[in-house]
Amino acid sequence: MVFETIAFALIGLAVGVAALALLPGWFAAARALTVATGVVTALLAGRLTGYVLDGGSMPVQLVSSAVCSVLLVSVLARPDRAPRPRGAHRRQRPA
C-alpha cells in the first residue's frame, strides 16, 4: 500500500513537471499549483481505482492514475496565453 502510494505520487509529479517543461507558456497558474494538481489527482485516481477494482490489477491503477492526472492538469492549460511568433494570427482575414 505504501509503495503504491509512492508510485502514484511519482506519476503525478512526473505529469506536472513534464507539463511545465514541455509547455511553459501555457500555464497561467502558479507552477506549484500545476505540480500539486498532478500529484493529488494521481493519488486520488489511483486509490479510487483500487477501491473499485477491490485492490487488484496494479497496472490498471497506474494507467488510470496517469490518465486522470494528465486530463486534470490539461484543464489548467491556457493555450490562448502561449507565446506566439511575432506576426502570427489565429485567423487570416480574407483579402
Side-chain angles (χ1 to χ4, degrees):
M1 185 150 133
V2 173
F3 294 115
E4 293 171 354
T5 304
I6 292 171
F8 298 147
L10 289 176
I11 287 172
L13 185 66
V15 167
V17 170
L20 289 173
L22 294 174
L23 304 168
W26 285 39
F27 293 93
R31 295 181 187 274
L33 178 66
T34 304
V35 174
T37 300
V39 172
V40 171
T41 303
L43 287 169
L44 290 175
R47 284 286 151 221
L48 185 62
T49 306
Y51 291 134
V52 168
L53 296 177
D54 201 24
S57 189
M58 183 62 180
V60 174
Q61 291 179 14
L62 292 173
V63 169
S64 168
S65 174
V67 168
C68 290
S69 183
V70 166
L71 288 175
L72 207 58
V73 166
S74 71
V75 170
L76 296 175
R78 296 284 309 266
D80 58 332
R81 298 203 181 200
R84 295 186 190 176
R86 202 164 191 100
H89 299 285
R90 284 189 209 178
R91 288 186 256 175
Q92 295 293 332
R93 294 183 182 163

